[in-house]
Amino acid sequence: AQTVTQSQPEMSVQEAETVTLSCTYDTSESNYYLFWYKQPPSRQMILVIRQEAYKQQNATENRFSVNFQKAAKSFSLKISDSQLGDTAMYFCAFMLRQGGGYQKVTFGTGTKLQVIP
Amino acid sequence: KAGVTQTPRYLIKTRGQQVTLSCSPISGHRSVSWYQQTPGQGLQFLFEYFSETQRNKGNFPGRFSGRQFSNSRSEMNVSTLELGDSALYLCASRPGLSTNEKLFFGSGTQLSVL
């Protein structure tokens, strides 16, 4: 079974600064996706960024980038130039590709990020 | 295109009752999955439906059940409610099981069991 661990329950960052959220996962498989989802107070989960395990290049989406260390099973999220709208719960997630399909998603327990003006 | 719609937004029930939650996926999406979110536990997978068939199931008791209709809308039912069932229930849809890995989420149903 796959597990996802987020060891930082809460974090804060000053507006315009950079913050890194940590995530580690455990799997014996080699074909999978990793995600970071954001959940603002509206409760709707929004995909921030995703990374295919077989791609060595780290994914980037505007101010969001990841540091994917496959051997260490680490997948951290870096938010640059933090904005007030980044205040939210952030979930790291893992999806296994198996049998020609994408299997259920396993989520971490989340990191609550507060951006301070 | 309309997003994933979950109804109701809030629900209050008492122990022993049963409850049905509804999820309408994005038009054209045939897969619907359900998650339970509680503080400290994150999101836990309940089940996933595709073409009216349950394809994956999480580790929840049989009191939790679901179904999917021919128009891809899905319902989740919890019988004999317990206090621990209080949670945010999220539904997510995607086009299929093998064509897309991205999940599109609804805003959830907040269930409180008294």
Side-chain angles (χ1 to χ4, degrees):
Chain A
Q2 287 72 40
T3 59
V4 177
T5 302
Q6 293 179 251
S7 58
Q8 306 153 312
E10 294 188 31
M11 293 190 72
S12 62
V13 62
Q14 291 290 140
E15 195 175 4
E17 296 293 308
T18 296
V19 64
T20 298
L21 309 184
S22 301
C23 172
T24 58
Y25 60 95
D26 189 25
T27 183
S28 57
E29 305 292 336
S30 59
N31 196 355
Y32 53 87
Y33 269 96
L34 293 163
F35 308 85
W36 279 97
Y37 279 90
K38 168 185 176 181
Q39 187 180 43
S42 66
R43 307 184 326 198
Q44 186 171 28
M45 299 276 281
I46 302 164
L47 178 66
V48 174
I49 197 166
R50 60 188 165 188
Q51 173 83 41
E52 297 172 75
Y54 66 86
K55 286 188 177 179
Q56 292 189 336
Q57 186 173 5
N58 290 323
T60 300
E61 288 286 343
N62 301 312
R63 298 183 294 107
F64 299 89
S65 61
V66 298
N67 183 3
F68 175 45
Q69 301 289 327
K70 191 170 184 179
K73 297 179 183 175
S74 170
F75 183 63
S76 60
L77 174 70
K78 185 171 85 170
I79 306 175
S80 304
D81 186 26
S82 297
Q83 300 176 0
L84 296 178
D86 295 333
T87 292
M89 199 73 171
Y90 287 82
F91 291 93
C92 178
F94 173 102
M95 177 185 275
L96 179 66
R97 179 159 193 181
Q98 198 171 53
Y102 295 99
Q103 303 304 312
K104 69 181 180 70
V105 180
T106 301
F107 286 86
T109 52
T111 296
K112 186 176 181 180
L113 177 67
Q114 179 76 44
V115 179
I116 303 167
Chain B
K1 189 182 269 191
V4 178
T5 304
Q6 289 189 247
T7 56
R9 291 263 301 173
Y10 300 91
L11 206 50
I12 299 175
K13 291 286 187 179
T14 56
R15 279 183 301 173
Q17 287 187 310
Q18 75 165 21
V19 67
T20 299
L21 312 181
S22 178
C23 173
S24 293
I26 290 173
S27 177
H29 287 195
R30 296 169 64 193
S31 164
V32 173
S33 53
W34 290 88
Y35 291 84
Q36 181 194 65
Q37 184 180 359
T38 54
Q41 293 290 320
L43 281 80
Q44 295 187 298
F45 174 77
L46 282 155
F47 28 67
E48 180 171 28
Y49 286 86
F50 178 77
S51 293
E52 303 178 64
T53 302
Q54 188 179 89
R55 300 297 177 137
N56 281 302
K57 189 177 188 303
N59 297 321
F60 278 81
R63 300 186 296 106
F64 291 82
S65 63
R67 59 178 175 169
Q68 186 180 34
F69 303 94
S70 58
N71 61 357
S72 295
R73 189 178 71 85
S74 177
E75 287 183 347
M76 191 192 89
N77 185 274
V78 187
S79 62
T80 319
L81 283 166
E82 300 177 0
L83 295 179
D85 297 333
S86 293
L88 178 66
Y89 290 88
L90 291 167
C91 158
S93 76
R94 50 179 170 154
L97 295 182
S98 61
T99 55
N100 196 306
E101 74 292 349
K102 180 179 177 181
L103 294 174
F104 295 81
F105 283 85
S107 297
T109 294
Q110 183 68 53
L111 172 65
S112 297
V113 182
L114 306 178

